[in-house]
PDB file of all heavy atoms in Angstrom:
ATOM      1  N   ILE I 312     -13.372  -2.110 -13.227  1.00 97.00           N
ATOM      2  CA  ILE I 312     -13.082  -0.679 -13.064  1.00 97.00           C
ATOM      3  C   ILE I 312     -11.561  -0.482 -13.158  1.00 97.00           C
ATOM      4  O   ILE I 312     -10.794  -1.219 -12.552  1.00 97.00           O
ATOM      5  CB  ILE I 312     -13.632  -0.235 -11.694  1.00 97.00           C
ATOM      6  CG1 ILE I 312     -15.169  -0.348 -11.709  1.00 97.00           C
ATOM      7  CG2 ILE I 312     -13.157   1.154 -11.325  1.00 97.00           C
ATOM      8  CD1 ILE I 312     -15.807  -0.373 -10.343  1.00 97.00           C
ATOM      9  N   ASP I 313     -11.145   0.512 -13.931  1.00 98.00           N
ATOM     10  CA  ASP I 313      -9.705   0.748 -14.076  1.00 98.00           C
ATOM     11  C   ASP I 313      -9.135   1.451 -12.852  1.00 98.00           C
ATOM     12  O   ASP I 313      -8.060   1.109 -12.374  1.00 98.00           O
ATOM     13  CB  ASP I 313      -9.439   1.586 -15.329  1.00 98.00           C
ATOM     14  CG  ASP I 313      -9.725   0.799 -16.588  1.00 98.00           C
ATOM     15  OD1 ASP I 313      -9.118  -0.280 -16.754  1.00 98.00           O
ATOM     16  OD2 ASP I 313     -10.579   1.221 -17.395  1.00 98.00           O
ATOM     17  N   LEU I 314      -9.865   2.450 -12.375  1.00 98.00           N
ATOM     18  CA  LEU I 314      -9.379   3.215 -11.221  1.00 98.00           C
ATOM     19  C   LEU I 314     -10.563   3.552 -10.328  1.00 98.00           C
ATOM     20  O   LEU I 314     -11.498   4.238 -10.769  1.00 98.00           O
ATOM     21  CB  LEU I 314      -8.710   4.513 -11.708  1.00 98.00           C
ATOM     22  CG  LEU I 314      -8.193   5.440 -10.615  1.00 98.00           C
ATOM     23  CD1 LEU I 314      -7.034   4.810  -9.873  1.00 98.00           C
ATOM     24  CD2 LEU I 314      -7.757   6.775 -11.204  1.00 98.00           C
ATOM     25  N   GLN I 315     -10.523   3.056  -9.101  1.00 98.00           N
ATOM     26  CA  GLN I 315     -11.639   3.295  -8.163  1.00 98.00           C
ATOM     27  C   GLN I 315     -11.209   4.298  -7.095  1.00 98.00           C
ATOM     28  O   GLN I 315     -10.206   4.107  -6.415  1.00 98.00           O
ATOM     29  CB  GLN I 315     -12.063   1.981  -7.491  1.00 98.00           C
ATOM     30  CG  GLN I 315     -13.132   2.140  -6.428  1.00 98.00           C
ATOM     31  CD  GLN I 315     -14.486   2.569  -6.985  1.00 98.00           C
ATOM     32  OE1 GLN I 315     -15.024   1.933  -7.880  1.00 98.00           O
ATOM     33  NE2 GLN I 315     -15.037   3.666  -6.465  1.00 98.00           N
ATOM     34  N   LEU I 316     -11.980   5.351  -6.968  1.00 98.00           N
ATOM     35  CA  LEU I 316     -11.755   6.354  -5.930  1.00 98.00           C
ATOM     36  C   LEU I 316     -12.588   5.974  -4.704  1.00 98.00           C
ATOM     37  O   LEU I 316     -13.766   5.657  -4.834  1.00 98.00           O
ATOM     38  CB  LEU I 316     -12.248   7.696  -6.491  1.00 98.00           C
ATOM     39  CG  LEU I 316     -11.851   8.982  -5.810  1.00 98.00           C
ATOM     40  CD1 LEU I 316     -10.341   9.165  -5.850  1.00 98.00           C
ATOM     41  CD2 LEU I 316     -12.525  10.159  -6.525  1.00 98.00           C
ATOM     42  N   LEU I 317     -11.977   6.031  -3.528  1.00 98.00           N
ATOM     43  CA  LEU I 317     -12.704   5.678  -2.298  1.00 98.00           C
ATOM     44  C   LEU I 317     -12.499   6.735  -1.224  1.00 98.00           C
ATOM     45  O   LEU I 317     -11.409   7.316  -1.123  1.00 98.00           O
ATOM     46  CB  LEU I 317     -12.175   4.361  -1.699  1.00 98.00           C
ATOM     47  CG  LEU I 317     -12.363   3.042  -2.423  1.00 98.00           C
ATOM     48  CD1 LEU I 317     -11.713   1.931  -1.598  1.00 98.00           C
ATOM     49  CD2 LEU I 317     -13.843   2.743  -2.643  1.00 98.00           C
ATOM     50  N   GLY I 318     -13.524   6.942  -0.410  1.00 98.00           N
ATOM     51  CA  GLY I 318     -13.365   7.626   0.865  1.00 98.00           C
ATOM     52  C   GLY I 318     -13.369   6.536   1.928  1.00 98.00           C
ATOM     53  O   GLY I 318     -13.446   5.346   1.613  1.00 98.00           O
ATOM     54  N   ILE I 319     -13.323   6.925   3.185  1.00 98.00           N
ATOM     55  CA  ILE I 319     -13.380   5.924   4.263  1.00 98.00           C
ATOM     56  C   ILE I 319     -14.242   6.477   5.402  1.00 98.00           C
ATOM     57  O   ILE I 319     -14.152   7.667   5.732  1.00 98.00           O
ATOM     58  CB  ILE I 319     -11.949   5.556   4.748  1.00 98.00           C
ATOM     59  CG1 ILE I 319     -11.994   4.459   5.819  1.00 98.00           C
ATOM     60  CG2 ILE I 319     -11.177   6.765   5.244  1.00 98.00           C
ATOM     61  CD1 ILE I 319     -10.616   3.854   6.143  1.00 98.00           C
ATOM     62  N   GLY I 320     -15.074   5.626   5.951  1.00 94.00           N
ATOM     63  CA  GLY I 320     -15.877   6.032   7.104  1.00 94.00           C
ATOM     64  C   GLY I 320     -15.047   5.912   8.368  1.00 94.00           C
ATOM     65  O   GLY I 320     -14.039   5.204   8.411  1.00 94.00           O
ATOM     66  N   ARG I 321     -15.479   6.590   9.426  1.00 93.00           N
ATOM     67  CA  ARG I 321     -14.735   6.531  10.693  1.00 93.00           C
ATOM     68  C   ARG I 321     -14.700   5.112  11.236  1.00 93.00           C
ATOM     69  O   ARG I 321     -13.772   4.738  11.946  1.00 93.00           O
ATOM     70  CB  ARG I 321     -15.372   7.468  11.715  1.00 93.00           C
ATOM     71  CG  ARG I 321     -15.190   8.916  11.310  1.00 93.00           C
ATOM     72  CD  ARG I 321     -16.043   9.833  12.139  1.00 93.00           C
ATOM     73  NE  ARG I 321     -15.573   9.896  13.500  1.00 93.00           N
ATOM     74  CZ  ARG I 321     -15.789  10.924  14.316  1.00 93.00           C
ATOM     75  NH1 ARG I 321     -16.472  11.955  13.899  1.00 93.00           N
ATOM     76  NH2 ARG I 321     -15.339  10.913  15.536  1.00 93.00           N
ATOM     77  N   ASN I 322     -15.719   4.304  10.900  1.00 92.00           N
ATOM     78  CA  ASN I 322     -15.732   2.898  11.358  1.00 92.00           C
ATOM     79  C   ASN I 322     -15.083   1.974  10.321  1.00 92.00           C
ATOM     80  O   ASN I 322     -15.215   0.761  10.405  1.00 92.00           O
ATOM     81  CB  ASN I 322     -17.168   2.444  11.656  1.00 92.00           C
ATOM     82  CG  ASN I 322     -18.065   2.476  10.423  1.00 92.00           C
ATOM     83  OD1 ASN I 322     -17.615   2.805   9.322  1.00 92.00           O
ATOM     84  ND2 ASN I 322     -19.333   2.133  10.588  1.00 92.00           N
ATOM     85  N   GLY I 323     -14.417   2.565   9.335  1.00 96.00           N
ATOM     86  CA  GLY I 323     -13.704   1.768   8.341  1.00 96.00           C
ATOM     87  C   GLY I 323     -14.553   1.364   7.153  1.00 96.00           C
ATOM     88  O   GLY I 323     -14.091   0.619   6.282  1.00 96.00           O
ATOM     89  N   HIS I 324     -15.798   1.890   7.069  1.00 94.00           N
ATOM     90  CA  HIS I 324     -16.602   1.458   5.919  1.00 94.00           C
ATOM     91  C   HIS I 324     -16.044   2.004   4.608  1.00 94.00           C
ATOM     92  O   HIS I 324     -15.454   3.085   4.574  1.00 94.00           O
ATOM     93  CB  HIS I 324     -18.104   1.771   6.098  1.00 94.00           C
ATOM     94  CG  HIS I 324     -18.490   3.208   6.009  1.00 94.00           C
ATOM     95  ND1 HIS I 324     -19.201   3.864   6.994  1.00 94.00           N
ATOM     96  CD2 HIS I 324     -18.303   4.132   5.042  1.00 94.00           C
ATOM     97  CE1 HIS I 324     -19.417   5.102   6.640  1.00 94.00           C
ATOM     98  NE2 HIS I 324     -18.877   5.298   5.449  1.00 94.00           N
TER      99      HIS I 324
END
Side-chain angles (χ1 to χ4, degrees):
I312 294 162
D313 291 303
L314 178 67
Q315 175 67 54
L316 195 62
L317 293 179
I319 183 169
R321 292 168 69 155
N322 62 2
H324 72 234

